[in-house]
Amino acid sequence: MDLDFFSAILSATIRTGTPLLLVALGEMLVEKSGVLNLGQEGMLLIGAVAGFIAASQSDSLVLGFMAAIAGGIGMAFIFAIVTLFLNANQIATGLALTIFGVGLSAFLGADYEGKTIAGLTKTPIPLLSDIPFIGALFFDHDVIVYVSWTLFIGMWLLFKKSTLGLNIRAVGENPDAANAIGINVIPLRFALVLVGGALAGLAGGYLSLVYTPLWTEDMSAGRGWIALAIVVFASWKATRVLLGAYLFGFASILHLAAQGMGVNLSANLLAMLPYVATIVVLVILSRNKLKLQLSEPLALAKPWRKE
Amino acid sequence: MMTLAKRQQPSHFWVYLSPLLAIALTLATGSLLFALLDVDPLHALTTFFITPLSDTFGVGELLIKSTPILLCALGLSLCYRAGIWNIGAEGQLIAGSISTTLIALAFIDSNTGFSLPLALLAGMLGGAVFAGIAALLKYQFNTNEILTTIMLNYIAYHLLQWGVHGPLRDPNGFNFPESALFDANTILPILLDGTRAHLGVLFTPIVLVLTWVLLSKSFAGFQIETLGLSPLSARMAGFSSKKIGYSVFLLSGALAGLAGAIEVTGPIGQLVPQVSPGYGFAAIIVAFLGRLHPVGIMLAGLLMGLIHLGGELVQLELGLPKSITGIFQGLLLFYLLSCDVFIQYRLTTQPGGLLHPKKTQKVT
């Protein structure tokens, strides 16, 4: 295995891991505040279809990404109203969001099924991208990859250095106590759910405008669910979300790598790999029940209202 | 200003009214959607919900569509009553269809009468094994069953693709990704002339009664209920959550597997890349809409079968995408969950509600 092949694999891992990273960062933020949104898959698909339609109609990728983000926020808004104001079960509402998103995206995208678009191209950073190996790895990507890294750093700083991060954690651990010290629990949760929706929508836009770039029904192929598993894998820590997203990105392109190395296995069997990997990782992470309970936000998925 | 206030007691009236209101709101939103698409809403809704039932053939089709949904939903209701989030009916259904196919293909040239019951049993076994994996992961390794059952759905789907493109493909089938057509002995006989309704539709009422007896008349049902309502009480009473969990997982898996077996030995007659148009996911909505009660599930399942049937018809007659079915399904669950707020809360003009909470009073 030569260095170029290795570098190409790592580069592809980052591309594949980026939508996972975006969704997982968003969901981590939401879960930190004690809200479990299982509707990631639905928000991803709406983001993907909204982005694709807007970009095809306007010939502008910027408008495409804005539409993708708006689509994700719109979906998250429904979730926020039903769970935070009407106190519905978060698990069931998240499932409803996914079922609705799968149906609505297929419906909206029916006329665009299988169509392609000139996707977003790479923006190499001058000079830095010329460094051998490292340049290709870190400084020769599309803009959204850099955005995802910025968001990661922002998320890390938020929970390590800021009062807002502390407030979010307080709301996720003990909303009663947080409320007592004057934090507005429901508005904060509402805002975070919308931010999570924006990130999932952006990730959807990445799929349909950068990664493939085309629209096809159900194109997210379970990435929203894998991102939820990554948050558990990461024990709700930003650095491990980054690691997890790229690990799963790698598992998803493993079949390409395997073919490159001359391994001959059915493509259908290799397509199972990311899902099997998710289960294996969950098993390894969840075996220690106490550790899992300690890292999970205490109020996760528990409806709360101001008394 | 209207606000929501917590009720002293949950409202039984709203327990029954909420699903009906949710259906009405879904239909209203559907009409709006049709109007936006420049389709006469009345005509569209008639095509969707009335036309399919205007002849015997249509009623037969409704029974065929409702059967797998109902079998999956009845199984899922056992899990949900025990507080276990099994989202894997779709994968368990596919697993059942694959194991049924294995038996059906093994008996393809032999002229025996027992190949059909054997194939159906194999389907139940396949579904149960697949659900058993999720149960094993939950109880041995403490993994979250929502995520594992979802992952298993994707794994089952790819297993099916591998099967129809590889070892299970018909060697004389011109390379189409399909198994050989099953022998007539391994096909469910038609029940009513002039329809496609097969023997399999009779399994649903049997399973329905058995589920009702299990839930309402047996000690096991009481244990399931207790575990779901209060895991701590179940433990205090000495009920094994593991034993109950495994039982409901395996039972619901077997029922989903049976649904898969019925699909391939019934209307389809062979293994194809798309065994289910999302019956396993529709079943989740049906279980909730039916309030996890067998009778409620029966009504909700028939409605869901009709939504699937109507979706196909509007595609044929009005040229609208079939995915409109998915939109109706999602809306239905949203409206149900939203209307359910009135079970615990009531609308009032007094302050102190959910939307406009009273300021905290000083303790004197």
Side-chain angles (χ1 to χ4, degrees):
Chain A
M1 189 164 43
D2 58 83
L3 200 65
D4 275 352
F5 180 64
F6 189 59
S7 152
I9 292 281
L10 285 179
S11 218
T13 297
I14 289 174
R15 266 171 69 86
T16 321
T18 297
L20 293 173
L21 177 63
L22 290 169
V23 181
L25 282 176
E27 176 62 13
M28 187 191 107
L29 187 68
V30 176
E31 288 190 19
K32 275 281 189 190
S33 77
V35 179
L36 179 66
N37 184 353
L38 293 183
Q40 303 296 333
E41 188 77 4
M43 299 195 295
L44 252 175
L45 282 167
I46 292 294
V49 77
F52 191 84
I53 293 175
S56 310
Q57 292 288 338
S58 69
D59 274 325
S60 156
L61 287 172
V62 177
L63 277 178
F65 277 110
M66 280 164 63
I69 293 171
I73 293 178
M75 291 287 279
F77 186 78
I78 305 177
F79 177 86
I81 294 284
V82 176
T83 57
L84 299 178
F85 283 149
L86 301 178
N87 269 28
N89 180 307
Q90 292 175 8
I91 295 176
T93 311
L95 284 171
L97 198 66
T98 288
I99 294 171
F100 180 66
V102 171
L104 184 63
S105 62
F107 179 76
L108 294 173
D111 290 342
Y112 297 86
E113 180 67 31
K115 289 197 175 141
T116 54
I117 196 170
L120 185 67
T121 48
K122 285 180 178 180
T123 313
I125 293 178
L127 296 175
L128 289 173
S129 59
D130 295 333
I131 308 170
F133 193 67
I134 291 177
L137 200 53
F138 292 109
F139 304 110
D140 189 18
H141 292 288
D142 53 81
V143 177
I144 309 296
V145 170
Y146 305 135
V147 169
S148 74
W149 289 343
T150 317
L151 285 167
F152 158 73
I153 295 169
M155 196 76 75
W156 186 82
L157 286 174
L158 177 71
F159 287 109
K160 283 284 175 197
K161 305 279 177 199
S162 78
T163 321
L164 178 63
L166 212 59
N167 286 352
I168 294 172
R169 277 165 62 192
V171 167
E173 295 293 335
N174 190 338
D176 285 322
N179 177 49
I181 59 168
I183 301 170
N184 285 319
V185 176
I186 297 297
L188 182 61
R189 284 184 170 177
F190 202 101
L192 292 173
V193 169
L194 295 189
V195 173
L199 288 182
L202 178 63
Y206 191 83
L207 287 179
S208 66
L209 298 178
V210 187
Y211 189 68
T212 28
L214 57 80
W215 163 254
T216 171
E217 224 179 286
D218 260 331
M219 67 182 300
S220 53
R223 285 184 179 82
W225 295 105
I226 292 177
L228 280 154
I230 289 173
V231 178
V232 179
F233 161 84
S235 314
W236 293 267
K237 289 183 181 70
T239 40
R240 290 180 58 174
V241 165
L242 183 80
L243 182 74
Y246 290 143
L247 210 63
F248 278 99
F250 180 67
S252 315
I253 56 150
L254 209 57
H255 62 284
L256 298 176
Q259 276 162 7
M261 287 186 287
V263 179
N264 196 8
L265 241 175
S266 149
N268 288 308
L269 285 181
L270 285 164
M272 286 182 204
L273 258 174
Y275 313 110
V276 175
T278 307
I279 292 181
V280 171
V281 164
L282 281 173
V283 164
I284 296 170
L285 261 294
S286 312
R287 269 167 68 195
N288 191 337
K289 206 171 184 168
L290 185 69
K291 203 177 153 215
L292 189 71
Q293 278 171 354
L294 283 177
S295 43
E296 183 178 284
L298 206 61
L300 189 63
K302 294 194 179 83
W304 182 87
R305 71 184 205 111
K306 204 165 177 173
E307 292 297 340
Chain B
M1 182 75 196
M2 299 294 267
T3 61
L4 290 166
K6 182 117 184 157
R7 291 177 194 274
Q8 302 288 329
Q9 297 261 305
S11 159
H12 283 290
F13 176 65
W14 273 96
V15 168
Y16 295 104
L17 185 63
S18 163
L20 299 176
L21 190 60
I23 293 169
L25 286 169
T26 305
L27 291 180
T29 316
S31 310
L32 201 69
L33 183 70
F34 286 129
L36 282 174
L37 294 167
D38 270 341
V39 180
D40 174 26
L42 200 66
H43 179 53
L45 288 180
T46 314
T47 313
F48 215 109
F49 294 101
I50 312 282
T51 319
L53 299 179
S54 54
D55 53 12
T56 339
F57 181 78
V59 176
E61 290 301 297
L62 175 65
L63 292 177
I64 291 175
K65 288 263 184 300
S66 312
T67 297
I69 299 175
L70 277 169
L71 289 173
C72 290
L74 287 166
L76 289 179
S77 72
L78 298 178
C79 289
Y80 297 162
R81 281 201 176 235
I84 292 164
W85 288 94
N86 176 3
I87 315 293
E90 184 78 3
Q92 292 146 21
L93 184 153
I94 293 174
S97 71
I98 295 173
S99 49
T100 296
T101 302
L102 291 177
I103 297 294
L105 293 182
F107 282 91
I108 201 148
D109 290 324
S110 67
N111 214 352
T112 59
F114 61 86
S115 64
L116 181 62
L118 208 61
L120 294 177
L121 277 176
M124 293 176 76
L125 191 69
V129 166
F130 222 65
I133 298 173
L136 188 82
L137 290 166
K138 180 174 171 66
Y139 293 107
Q140 300 305 317
F141 302 107
N142 188 36
T143 49
N144 178 312
E145 73 271 20
I146 301 175
L147 293 175
T148 53
T149 48
I150 290 267
M151 292 303 135
L152 285 166
N153 285 343
Y154 286 105
I155 291 171
Y157 174 77
H158 286 294
L159 204 61
L160 171 65
Q161 300 314 311
W162 175 68
V164 291
H165 286 95
L168 297 177
R169 180 165 55 189
D170 183 4
N172 308 316
F174 307 104
N175 256 347
F176 279 112
E178 293 169 350
S179 80
L181 282 166
F182 296 172
D183 185 80
N185 281 310
T186 333
I187 293 287
L188 287 160
I190 297 291
L191 217 51
L192 270 171
D193 285 335
T195 70
R196 297 198 303 151
H198 50 71
L199 189 66
V201 302
L202 289 185
F203 295 171
T204 322
I206 298 169
V207 172
L208 203 116
V209 171
L210 288 176
T211 319
W212 180 76
V213 170
L214 174 70
L215 282 174
S216 309
K217 300 286 160 198
S218 78
F219 184 57
F222 175 71
Q223 287 183 314
I224 292 173
E225 197 83 3
T226 312
L227 180 69
L229 289 173
S230 165
L232 205 63
S233 310
R235 214 167 86 192
M236 294 295 281
F239 303 161
S240 160
S241 66
K242 219 179 201 178
K243 220 166 158 183
I244 304 169
Y246 268 107
S247 312
V248 293
F249 252 124
L250 293 175
L251 272 175
S252 75
L255 287 176
L258 180 62
I262 286 177
E263 284 304 289
V264 288
T265 57
I268 307 177
Q270 65 185 138
L271 193 66
V272 291
Q274 210 70 48
V275 176
S276 153
Y279 289 143
F281 297 112
I284 300 170
I285 301 171
V286 166
F288 284 119
L289 195 65
R291 294 272 167 239
L292 304 183
H293 188 282
V295 176
I297 288 175
M298 184 186 72
L299 297 172
L302 288 169
L303 175 71
M304 191 56 81
L306 190 56
I307 290 179
H308 272 86
L309 196 59
E312 286 177 8
L313 207 65
V314 289
Q315 184 183 27
L316 276 174
E317 304 229 320
L318 305 175
L320 298 173
K322 209 167 108 185
S323 43
I324 221 161
T325 304
I327 300 181
F328 272 126
Q329 291 183 21
L331 283 176
L332 198 52
L333 191 50
F334 272 133
Y335 282 130
L336 178 74
L337 293 163
S338 304
C339 292
D340 277 356
V341 75
F342 294 112
I343 296 174
Q344 298 290 349
Y345 298 90
R346 63 193 165 81
L347 268 180
T348 169
T349 45
Q350 306 292 316
L354 182 68
L355 296 177
H356 297 276
K358 221 174 350 192
K359 292 273 178 282
T360 321
Q361 283 170 350
K362 272 183 196 150
V363 182
T364 47

